[in-house]
Amino acid sequence: MIKKKIVIAVLLSGFVLASLAILPVTQASPATGEPAACGPNMMLQRMADDWGLEKTALEKYLQQGVNPHDLMHAALVAKAANKSLPEILSLKTLANTWGDVEQSLGITTQQIRALHEEMLAAKMAGDLSVPKGTVLALLKSGYIPPDIEIAAILAKNTQKPIPDILSLKKINNSWSDVAQSLGVDQETFRQSLAKNHSLMPGPGMHGPDSQPGPGMDDMYSGAGRP
C-alpha cells in the first residue's frame, strides 16, 4: 500500500502544484471571439499573480531550462521555508528529489500539504465566490479541486449546499448526470462550466464517499516526489 501511494504521489505531483495556477487550454480573443491559445506567457502571469513573484524572473528561469513543475514546487517550498526562490532552486539538482530538499530544510510533508491547502482554498474561494473555510474543509476531506469547483457551480444553480451536491457524485455516474438529477439542463450546465476559466468536464472525478481516485492524502504521501 505504501509503494502504491508513493507511485500515485509521483504521478500526481504535477497536478497538485498546477492546481494553484489552473489555466484554460484556449480562451476567446476579445477582438474576434475566436479561441486563442493560452501559452507560457499566460501561465507565467497567473503564477506571478498567485505567488507574488516577478513575471520577468520566472521567464528567465524557463529560458534557462527550469521545468515549470520545478518552478512551482520551488515557489511552494520557498514560501514554507521563508526563503527566496533562487535559494530553493539552487538546492534542487539531478541527484536529489524535492523530498530531499524539503528534508534538508526541516520542512515536513504535513507543512507542505497544509500550506498548499491554505493557498489553494484561498484561490478557489475567490474564483468561486464561496467561503474559504468551506473550500478548505472539503480539501481536507479528500475532495479534489475540479469536483469542488463543479459542485460549487451546481450549488449556485440549485441553491443547494456544496457538500450535498458532492454527495450525489458517485463512481458510476457523471457530473452531467448529477446536473440532470438536480433539474439543471445540459445547456445551462455547459454554459456554467464555460464561464469558469479552469474547468473542463471529464470523467472519474469524485469525492471520498464514492471511493475516488487519490485525494490530498495520497498526493502528499511518501517522499518519492520527483
Side-chain angles (χ1 to χ4, degrees), residues 165-224:
I165 303 291
L166 284 166
S167 70
L168 298 176
K169 180 68 183 74
K170 308 299 181 183
I171 197 166
N172 60 347
N173 68 357
S174 68
W175 275 115
S176 292
D177 295 330
V178 173
Q180 188 173 11
S181 72
L182 292 168
V184 179
D185 67 83
Q186 293 303 297
E187 184 58 28
T188 299
F189 181 53
R190 283 193 291 268
Q191 290 179 0
S192 297
L193 292 182
K195 290 178 182 178
N196 189 292
H197 64 75
S198 63
L199 287 179
M200 290 290 290
M205 300 175 181
H206 27 271
D209 292 339
S210 54
Q211 298 301 311
M216 299 298 286
D217 284 330
D218 294 308
M219 292 175 181
Y220 286 101
S221 61

Side-chain angles (χ1 to χ4, degrees), residues 121-134:
K123 178 181 181 300
M124 291 177 65
D127 290 343
L128 299 169
S129 299
V130 298
K132 175 185 172 183
T134 298

Side-chain angles (χ1 to χ4, degrees), residues 9-200:
V10 171
L11 292 176
L12 293 182
S13 59
F15 167 78
V16 175
L17 292 169
S19 59
L20 284 172
I22 295 172
L23 292 170
V25 177
T26 61
Q27 72 172 16
S29 166
T32 65
E34 295 296 322
C38 293
N41 183 61
M42 288 193 66
M43 181 199 76
L44 291 177
Q45 185 60 60
R46 187 59 183 269
M47 187 177 172
D49 293 340
D50 290 344
W51 294 95
L53 301 170
E54 290 292 333
K55 181 184 172 184
T56 53
L58 297 176
E59 289 174 339
K60 289 180 181 179
Y61 286 124
L62 291 188
Q63 291 168 0
Q64 292 168 5
V66 177
N67 184 286
H69 167 264
D70 284 336
L71 199 54
M72 286 188 285
H73 203 131
L76 184 65
V77 174
K79 192 171 183 67
N82 195 28
K83 292 184 178 295
S84 70
L85 185 59
E87 285 180 281
I88 300 302
L89 283 171
S90 69
L91 297 176
K92 180 66 177 73
T93 69
L94 294 176
N96 64 8
T97 68
W98 279 113
D100 296 330
V101 173
E102 292 158 18
Q103 186 175 15
S104 71
L105 294 168
I107 299 173
T108 66
T109 298
Q110 290 72 25
Q111 286 175 296
I112 291 292
R113 170 181 170 171
L115 176 59
H116 175 264
E117 287 178 337
E118 284 285 338
M119 295 183 68
L120 182 54
K123 178 181 181 300
M124 291 177 65
D127 290 343
L128 299 169
S129 299
V130 298
K132 175 185 172 183
T134 298
V135 178
L136 187 58
L138 292 171
L139 289 173
K140 289 183 179 297
S141 294
Y143 288 102
I144 61 177
D147 280 355
I148 297 172
E149 291 181 311
I150 295 174
I153 288 172
L154 288 174
K156 290 178 182 178
N157 287 332
T158 60
Q159 303 302 308
K160 291 182 178 294
I162 296 176
D164 290 358
I165 303 291
L166 284 166
S167 70
L168 298 176
K169 180 68 183 74
K170 308 299 181 183
I171 197 166
N172 60 347
N173 68 357
S174 68
W175 275 115
S176 292
D177 295 330
V178 173
Q180 188 173 11
S181 72
L182 292 168
V184 179
D185 67 83
Q186 293 303 297
E187 184 58 28
T188 299
F189 181 53
R190 283 193 291 268
Q191 290 179 0
S192 297
L193 292 182
K195 290 178 182 178
N196 189 292
H197 64 75
S198 63
L199 287 179
M200 290 290 290

